[in-house]
Each structure stands twice: as C-alpha cells, then as structure tokens.
Amino acid sequence: PLLSVRKTRFDYPTSRFYCDRHTMEDILDFIKRVKPDSIVVLAAWNSFSPYTNREFITDGGEAEANAATTTRAIEQQVPMTLKALSEVSRVVVFKSWPFLPEPPAYGVNRLPFLKGNQHIVRASAVDFKKDSGFIESVFRKIDVPVEFFDPAARICDAESCSSVYKQVKLYKDYYHITVAGAIQFRSEIESMIAAKHS
C-alpha cells in the first residue's frame, strides 16, 4: 500500500490483476473523498526485507525491480505514503507478521477435549527480528503522527513465534491469518481505536 511503487514480477495471476487495476494513488483519492475516522495500513512488510528478498518493487523507471530498488522504494515511499495518509485522518500501521518456515498441517481433531494434538509450527524469533529489522528502522524514522499495532508481540517470545495462540490456530498457510486467529486480537484493536475517540 505505497504511493508511486510498482511490481514487475507477479507470482500469482490474482496479484497482477489487482496491482494492474488499483494503485495507491487511486486509493488515496478515495480515502480523501470518504474522510474516514481512522486509516489502517496493513502490508506484508517483511516481504520486502533485504534479509530474505521475497518480493521486489521499484519507484523508478527500471525494467525490473530488484533488491536495490526495493530498499530505495521502502525507505522513500513508506514515509511519503504515511505522511499523505496522516494529512487525511488518524493512521494505524500494523507491523510485520512472522512468516512460518512451512504451512501448518492441522489434522482433524477427533478428540477436541485433548488440546495437545495440534500441529504447531514455529518460526525463529531471531530470524523474524532480522527479517523485520529493515522496516522497523524505516518506521523509527517516521516523523508524522502514526500509531503502530504489533501482532508479533503477542505470538513471539525470545525464541520463537508460534502458529497457535491461546490454543487457536492462527495461520491458514505460511503467512495468512485465519478468521479465528484475527478475532484473538479484536478486543485489543477495538480498545486502541476507541481510546482515540473517547
């Protein structure tokens, strides 16, 4: 969700469809017309990490996005985008969510009273910190009023980040969260939003 950036490689046809049809400039124009009370910015920030290089973007005229163009685009366009959004309304940014080393394979729980038979996949907390280090350094330099919500703080300890939180399956694949997982953060997010309006 960044202004003036583009992808040049699409691993999934649906991402090409959405990225070619909708730009952040279009979305910003819509937000300006609607004037919401709050704007929530959510991205797979650690996809653009120079530690893992999962995704590449560019904010220039290069034929192909690469690691160097991605670093430049994130450093320049994240602050610019958040500044533009903060001029419209209150902005809440969701920080990075850990990538799992493999998708969790949840078996059918035929004995629901037994809580120990869930397949839990764990990501290294050290690797996640390295993966998120670049975007965290960019966030620290933001000089406009932006609030942050950090979901990883709830599921990671000093050693690992878990695919299960309070016995609820958080992940439906290596990165995307389940509906039941999202609901685990509902009260905290609602309180955060309500606090600004009370």
Side-chain angles (χ1 to χ4, degrees), residues 157-187:
D157 57 28
E159 295 181 3
S160 65
C161 307
S162 176
S163 65
V164 173
Y165 176 70
K166 296 184 178 177
Q167 300 180 345
V168 173
K169 300 165 187 172
L170 292 178
Y171 288 79
K172 60 182 176 180
D173 55 27
Y174 69 99
Y175 185 77
H176 297 96
I177 192 170
T178 63
V179 172
I183 290 171
Q184 299 306 302
F185 303 99
R186 177 179 174 175
S187 61

Side-chain angles (χ1 to χ4, degrees), residues 112-171:
F113 55 87
L114 294 178
K115 300 294 185 185
N117 60 350
Q118 297 184 60
H119 177 63
I120 298 175
V121 176
R122 297 185 185 280
S124 161
V126 172
D127 286 344
F128 173 61
K129 189 170 182 179
K130 289 178 185 175
D131 206 19
S132 303
F134 172 56
I135 191 63
E136 287 291 337
S137 70
V138 173
F139 286 155
R140 283 193 292 273
K141 295 174 187 171
I142 300 296
D143 60 356
V144 293
V146 172
E147 297 169 68
F148 292 96
F149 177 74
D150 187 3
R154 285 74 181 165
I155 67 166
C156 298
D157 57 28
E159 295 181 3
S160 65
C161 307
S162 176
S163 65
V164 173
Y165 176 70
K166 296 184 178 177
Q167 300 180 345
V168 173
K169 300 165 187 172
L170 292 178
Y171 288 79

Side-chain angles (χ1 to χ4, degrees), residues 79-113:
M80 186 179 90
T81 302
L82 295 180
K83 181 178 187 299
L85 292 172
S86 69
E87 290 170 354
V88 179
S89 185
R90 172 192 185 206
V91 177
V92 177
V93 177
F94 277 50
K95 289 189 173 186
S96 295
W97 183 261
F99 278 86
L100 295 177
E102 62 181 282
Y106 301 121
V108 176
N109 188 352
R110 300 188 187 283
L111 301 172
F113 55 87

